[in-house]
Amino acid sequence: MHCLEQQRFRAFGIATGILLGFSLFCLPANAQVSEARLTGVVMDSSGAIVPGAQISITNVSTETTRDLTTNESGIYNAPGLPAGNYRVKVSAQGFQTEVRTGVTLTTGAEQVLNITLKIGNISQQVVVTDVPPQVQLSTAALSDVVESTSVRELPLNGRSWTDLAALTTGVSVIKTQPPVSASDRPKRGLGAELSISGGRPQQNSYLLDGININDYSNAGPGSILGGNLG
């Protein structure tokens, strides 16, 4: 009788595990945002809007250009731009042409770039080469992008990309896991432990090509030492 109960309990555990596995596979996948958005308002020197202005947004690396026109409120909106460096050219009848160079869009950015046109002949052109970093005015979301120069030149221990997260304001590296030699360590997550704005390490989500790669305890992915190479 005791053996029969054990078999029933084992069968129940297997069935529960199968159902849990199906439920995990059915979870919706998080989409990864790989493009940027550039938007803004075109005005004249008095602050009046300029509808119908011609906007040309050119990727400096590929020389591909997106052409659009401001609406009746003087607003332009260019979603789906690949990350990179851009040149923005704005022209309108009765105004000097304005060119902004050095506009950098990072992955997932929603950047606002307002343009002020000066009265003059359309054949005249004003080129602004020193564009200050744009503040994210179109969204309240907090985010950060580590530039490729930092990735290449920073002396990362073991070249683990999770170490780069500590460069962001509000991110702290904490140690709540037992040492590697502890007997219960294999039962816990092995990834780097990062607290973002005071949250628990298990509240973070790590995405690679849009796929969640958290470890089995919902902690950060990583080797037994907590690092991620590459």
Side-chain angles (χ1 to χ4, degrees):
M1 188 68 177
H2 181 67
C3 293
L4 181 59
E5 290 179 354
Q6 286 184 337
Q7 291 177 354
R8 289 177 178 175
F9 180 77
R10 187 178 298 110
F12 174 77
I14 294 173
T16 303
I18 293 174
L19 291 175
L20 179 59
F22 276 115
S23 65
L24 290 176
F25 279 113
C26 292
L27 288 176
N30 293 320
Q32 184 184 42
V33 179
S34 59
E35 297 174 329
R37 178 192 300 268
L38 184 64
T39 184
V41 180
V42 177
M43 301 171 291
D44 63 17
S45 56
S46 67
I49 61 172
V50 181
Q54 303 298 315
I55 313 289
S56 294
I57 304 173
T58 303
N59 188 304
V60 177
S61 300
T62 62
E63 288 299 326
T64 56
T65 300
R66 174 85 63 87
D67 294 322
L68 56 152
T69 305
T70 57
N71 61 15
E72 63 277 3
S73 299
I75 299 173
Y76 71 93
N77 183 28
L81 296 172
N85 294 321
Y86 285 83
R87 180 176 63 252
V88 180
K89 180 179 179 181
V90 183
S91 60
Q93 188 67 34
F95 294 92
Q96 299 179 24
T97 299
E98 182 90 4
V99 178
R100 297 289 181 93
T101 62
V103 179
T104 301
L105 298 179
T106 56
T107 300
E110 295 188 7
Q111 191 160 305
V112 176
L113 180 63
N114 297 325
I115 305 291
T116 300
L117 298 179
K118 297 180 180 180
I119 301 294
N121 193 296
I122 194 171
S123 62
Q124 295 176 299
Q125 181 170 291
V126 178
V127 180
V128 180
T129 58
D130 186 15
V131 179
Q134 298 297 314
V135 180
Q136 293 275 4
L137 300 177
S138 60
T139 176
L142 298 178
S143 63
D144 191 20
V145 175
V146 180
E147 301 294 340
S148 58
T149 302
S150 299
V151 175
R152 290 193 307 266
E153 299 182 1
L154 283 176
L156 302 178
N157 183 18
R159 306 302 301 169
S160 178
W161 51 263
T162 51
D163 294 339
L164 294 169
L167 300 177
T168 302
T169 302
V171 177
S172 302
V173 179
I174 63 174
K175 297 293 183 182
T176 62
Q177 300 285 42
V180 176
S181 58
S183 60
D184 63 338
R185 180 60 190 265
K187 301 177 182 179
R188 307 283 295 279
L190 302 177
E193 299 173 271
L194 301 176
S195 173
I196 302 177
S197 299
R200 296 177 180 272
Q202 289 75 24
Q203 292 177 314
N204 303 330
S205 179
Y206 295 83
L207 302 180
L208 178 63
D209 293 333
I211 303 299
N212 187 299
I213 57 173
N214 284 23
D215 67 13
Y216 62 90
S217 67
N218 203 41
S223 66
I224 193 171
L225 298 179
N228 292 273
L229 301 179

